[in-house]
Amino acid sequence: MSDYIQQTVLSPNARNFKCPIDRGLVTGPGSSIHTREWASSFPVDQFALNLLSIVNEQERGGQPGSNAQTNQGLHPLVSNSNPNFQHCNVHTGRLMEYYCFGCNTVLCAQCAIDNHRTRRCDCVAYEEAVSRLQPKANSLHVRFQNLIFRVQQLVQYGSPEHNSLQQSKSRAMESLDEIESNINRFLQVCFQNAEELKQKITLAGHELPSETRQLVALFDRIQDTKLTFDNLLSTNSTQDILNSYRRIESQAEEYDRALAAISQRNPRHIEMSDHPTFSRFLSNPPSLATLRVKLPNRTEDITPRTQPDTDGNLGFISAPLSSAAPRFAAPGNRRVSTSTVSRPRRITQNNHAQSRSKSKSVISVKNPQEDTTTWHLNGIVFIGYYVLVLDSYNNLLRKCSIAGTFTTHETLPLEGATSITLMDNPTEVAVTQPEKKQVVIISTDSELAIKETFKTNKAYDVICLHQRTNFVTCSYRGSKCIDIINRVGRVQISVERSRILRDPRFLTVTRDGMIVVSDNELRRVICMSPEGQVQWTHTPNAAPWGVASDKMGTIYVCLDNNDVQAISDEGHMIDEKFLSARDGIKMPYAICVRSRQLAITEFGTSLFTPNSPWVHIVSV
């Protein structure tokens, strides 16, 4: 026990440790006490003592009373040396001081002589019967204790059948995770192909075709001939005109024939048709897998059909997961860092949270023609295979492709914007402009464009969609309140929480409609109901920045120590280092999440001025 304590108690100031048998918490006497004295704090295992007593008794020949300490903890058959014998019901006055092992009954001497003289009968005196039965009784007592212990073990750790089921469920979930990763890779290839086709369509006709060159040459010849004829007419020389007229007329006829020949050619156009194999696959997708649940008496086959993502979020990865996957070319101004990180997740719940591989790529929001050196990317959302990034330092909303090829990022000027959120319409976003006390609705259908604007009574710095029709907002300057407003800026619910909020910077809404706020100054993440009732608080080991919640009940928290934590929507830790500095993120700042995909911006290496143009795309 002393060796176990020395190996498991890491801190000399630790006050307790876990028992290696039942995992119960054992309180130690203190750091100044030797570990052998700590060992004495463990409870005595009575079951082990009983087993040792039986072994010692059998080694001594099974004689009861040979060692007084041997029988400690066991139940003797008699409580004293002079038991009170009962009288026989058949033979009046005789004591029942004999026992027949063959008939398993207590009897008197006369009964033994009269009725218990068969071959199977074995009548002995009471004291001898006690001596012979004592070891058996002790063994039976231990047997019952062992049965109780086994039942407790089954209750605590499950039966072999239950453990086998759990292991098979874990393997099945791992297989399903792998299928989802393959689907993400498949989507990535599809988006890559679509992006390349779009670029080909855009560039079609930009090169100078042969007929265009012929038209240019014909145009130059016509111009030269016309100029010659005009000069001839200006000389007023009738003789020269008569001598040259026929030749010039022949050239005009030649130009007419050449122009007619070019005009009769088939015009260029683009035809696009779906690949038949891919079209059949989309119209009738196969099942992801077959599932066989083997029960004791029957086997059930479950073959789920693939269902589209009802929320419109198509998750995909931006880097290949295996050598068999197609490799995408990385342009010069794009920093692509692909990695596969496998890290065990810390489990504090009974939900499924297996270790999953992470695929990560990095894109830059900077356009090639920009000379910008400072960025502040304080808001980000997914839109199809793009991310919309709010750059408040340069007063721009940037639309950046994450499909694997670089195109010039589209931008929209927005002055004083501080926060962005998706709308119920998947092609629209809402952006706050606190200095103007307004919220801007922006459409992303074909190009970035302001669709509408509505005024607010307060200067809101942070905004997030709440229950599809309203917004939850807050401000980190002035009154530290949380308001739920509608689409025209009217306050529906206002929660004054200045006592528990000091510097709210980011917020998100869980799948149950709870509001989660990160307070950078208090180093706390707070979850509250829309009415303002605090549900739980989470205090990480660093100051929190961006928070985002997915539809599986996981909340991701960015910390200023380069970590990203994953916690449940009940406030329990899932993964303390979901991402860390070794994943290449320098102070994660804003974050958004959709089905198994995250986008994270950086604050940068400067402690005072944000200066990072990088966006990390992580798929799990």
Side-chain angles (χ1 to χ4, degrees):
M1 298 308 300
S2 175
D3 293 341
Y4 168 75
I5 295 171
Q6 290 177 347
Q7 294 173 4
T8 56
V9 179
L10 303 179
S11 172
N13 298 323
R15 291 291 182 267
N16 51 59
F17 50 90
K18 290 185 177 180
C19 174
I21 303 299
D22 61 2
R23 311 305 298 171
L25 200 62
V26 179
T27 302
S31 58
S32 61
I33 307 301
H34 194 272
T35 53
R36 288 193 175 275
E37 297 186 35
W38 281 52
S40 64
S41 301
F42 282 85
V44 176
D45 191 341
Q46 193 65 40
F47 178 64
L49 283 180
N50 292 343
L51 291 178
L52 289 174
S53 65
I54 294 175
V55 172
N56 292 334
E57 183 174 331
Q58 291 179 349
E59 290 178 351
R60 296 178 182 275
Q63 295 298 326
S66 59
N67 190 340
Q69 296 180 352
T70 301
N71 294 329
Q72 181 180 2
L74 300 181
H75 298 281
L77 292 181
V78 294
S79 58
N80 54 64
S81 58
N82 296 315
N84 294 322
F85 295 111
Q86 297 180 357
H87 289 80
C88 181
N89 295 329
V90 179
H91 303 92
T92 305
R94 293 188 178 273
L95 298 177
M96 300 176 67
E97 51 187 354
Y98 291 89
Y99 181 79
C100 179
F101 281 94
C103 301
N104 294 321
T105 184
V106 180
L107 42 82
C108 67
Q110 191 62 40
C111 288
I113 296 173
D114 295 342
N115 303 319
H116 293 269
R117 304 188 63 177
T118 63
R119 179 174 298 178
R120 71 170 188 173
C121 292
D122 183 13
C123 297
V124 297
Y126 180 84
E127 291 79 5
E128 183 180 351
V130 170
S131 299
R132 290 169 61 176
L133 284 178
Q134 184 70 55
K136 295 182 179 180
N138 292 338
S139 298
L140 184 60
H141 175 71
V142 173
R143 182 177 179 183
F144 278 113
Q145 286 186 327
N146 190 25
L147 288 173
I148 293 174
F149 176 76
R150 289 169 58 189
V151 171
Q152 291 175 342
Q153 291 292 101
L154 290 176
V155 171
Q156 184 173 2
Y157 301 107
S159 63
E161 178 184 358
H162 176 75
N163 295 333
S164 176
L165 176 62
Q166 294 300 321
Q167 293 175 2
S168 63
K169 288 172 66 175
S170 299
R171 289 192 296 268
M173 293 297 290
E174 291 174 357
S175 300
L176 191 57
D177 290 340
E178 181 64 24
I179 291 175
E180 290 181 346
S181 297
N182 292 334
I183 293 175
N184 288 338
R185 183 169 63 245
F186 169 75
L187 288 175
Q188 168 68 17
V189 175
C190 292
F191 285 133
Q192 170 74 15
N193 194 1
E195 184 73 12
E196 292 174 353
L197 290 174
K198 286 184 177 181
Q199 288 187 350
K200 289 181 179 179
I201 294 173
T202 303
L203 297 176
H206 285 194
E207 72 281 2
L208 189 64
S210 59
E211 57 266 26
T212 303
R213 291 195 296 270
Q214 294 176 7
L215 284 173
V216 172
L218 180 61
F219 178 80
D220 293 339
R221 291 172 58 192
I222 294 173
Q223 286 278 56
D224 292 341
T225 303
K226 180 180 179 298
L227 182 61
T228 301
F229 185 65
D230 291 342
N231 293 334
L232 185 62
L233 292 176
S234 63
T235 61
N236 295 321
S237 174
T238 305
Q239 185 177 1
D240 291 341
I241 295 174
L242 292 175
N243 291 333
S244 303
Y245 179 79
R246 185 57 186 168
R247 177 176 57 83
I248 295 175
E249 185 181 22
S250 299
Q251 290 179 350
E253 293 174 355
E254 179 185 350
Y255 298 152
D256 285 335
R257 290 192 297 269
L259 185 60
I262 293 175
S263 301
Q264 290 175 357
R265 294 178 183 177
N266 294 328
R268 283 194 170 191
H269 65 281
I270 296 176
E271 292 184 356
M272 181 174 175
S273 59
D274 297 339
H275 195 284
T277 303
F278 188 71
S279 298
R280 288 193 298 270
F281 171 78
L282 291 180
S283 61
N284 187 23
S287 302
L288 293 181
T290 58
L291 181 65
R292 298 175 62 87
V293 181
K294 295 183 178 180
L295 302 177
N297 298 324
R298 67 185 187 277
T299 300
E300 295 182 355
D301 290 342
I302 304 176
T303 306
R305 299 289 297 174
T306 54
Q307 298 292 336
D309 193 351
T310 56
D311 60 2
N313 290 334
L314 297 177
F316 57 93
I317 60 175
S318 51
L321 294 180
S322 63
S323 59
R327 296 185 177 273
F328 308 124
N333 62 339
R334 175 189 290 264
R335 183 183 71 179
V336 179
S337 171
T338 60
S339 61
T340 301
V341 183
S342 180
R343 186 182 296 118
R345 305 184 72 178
R346 178 173 295 183
I347 308 300
T348 57
Q349 291 180 297
N350 293 326
N351 58 348
H352 171 74
Q354 298 292 334
S355 174
R356 292 173 179 165
S357 62
K358 303 180 183 69
S359 180
K360 185 173 73 66
S361 66
V362 185
I363 62 176
S364 174
V365 303
K366 180 182 178 181
N367 281 319
Q369 67 274 15
E370 288 188 36
D371 56 359
T372 307
T373 58
T374 301
W375 302 263
H376 188 195
L377 310 182
N378 60 340
I380 187 168
V381 294
F382 282 107
I383 295 288
Y385 46 91
Y386 294 92
V387 286
L388 293 186
V389 187
L390 196 61
D391 184 358
S392 62
Y393 188 89
N394 297 291
N395 293 320
L396 290 176
L397 177 63
R398 302 173 181 268
K399 183 179 181 181
C400 308
S401 171
I402 57 174
T405 58
F406 179 82
T407 56
T408 300
H409 302 320
E410 185 180 351
T411 60
L412 176 68
L414 279 179
E415 183 180 356
T418 58
S419 181
I420 185 172
T421 184
L422 281 172
M423 301 281 291
D424 52 342
N425 185 338
T427 63
E428 295 180 353
V429 295
V431 179
T432 57
Q433 292 179 301
E435 294 180 358
K436 297 182 179 181
K437 290 187 178 181
Q438 67 182 20
V439 175
V440 180
I441 308 299
I442 299 173
S443 174
T444 65
D445 278 332
S446 56
E447 60 182 13
L448 297 179
I450 296 178
K451 182 179 180 181
E452 61 178 289
T453 301
F454 62 86
K455 294 292 184 176
T456 58
N457 294 328
K458 302 177 183 178
Y460 296 120
D461 296 284
V462 189
I463 190 170
C464 185
L465 184 66
H466 185 267
Q467 301 297 337
R468 298 183 66 88
T469 57
N470 294 331
F471 299 104
V472 56
T473 59
C474 72
S475 174
Y476 47 77
R477 41 191 160 183
S479 177
K480 305 300 188 299
C481 64
I482 295 178
D483 290 347
I484 296 179
I485 63 176
N486 60 16
R487 289 288 298 268
V488 296
R490 294 181 180 176
V491 177
Q492 308 296 305
I493 302 176
S494 182
V495 181
E496 296 288 344
R497 307 299 297 181
S498 58
R499 291 177 297 175
I500 64 171
L501 293 177
R502 188 172 300 172
D503 187 22
R505 289 286 176 161
F506 292 87
L507 59 82
T508 186
V509 176
T510 69
R511 56 182 176 177
D512 298 328
M514 298 292 114
I515 303 169
V516 179
V517 186
S518 65
D519 194 307
N520 187 263
E521 185 174 344
L522 294 178
R523 292 176 173 245
R524 183 183 301 166
V525 178
I526 305 163
C527 177
M528 63 180 66
S529 67
E531 294 75 23
Q533 297 177 349
V534 176
Q535 307 297 309
W536 51 263
T537 59
H538 169 66
T539 305
N541 55 355
W545 289 110
V547 290
S549 176
D550 64 14
K551 293 189 176 182
M552 301 300 293
T554 304
I555 299 172
Y556 298 92
V557 183
C558 297
L559 305 178
D560 64 1
N561 64 349
N562 301 326
D563 289 347
V564 176
Q565 290 185 349
I567 61 178
S568 70
D569 54 6
E570 296 178 351
H572 302 297
M573 180 68 71
I574 296 178
D575 195 337
E576 190 173 5
K577 287 185 176 293
F578 178 82
L579 293 173
S580 62
R582 73 178 191 178
D583 295 310
I585 301 181
K586 299 176 181 179
M587 194 175 296
Y589 194 68
I591 184 173
C592 66
V593 60
R594 63 182 175 186
S595 180
R596 300 195 178 282
Q597 192 173 39
L598 294 88
I600 306 171
T601 69
E602 288 184 344
F603 190 86
T605 56
S606 173
L607 295 177
F608 305 101
T609 304
N611 61 357
S612 174
W614 304 112
V615 175
H616 299 259
I617 309 298
V618 182
S619 297
V620 294

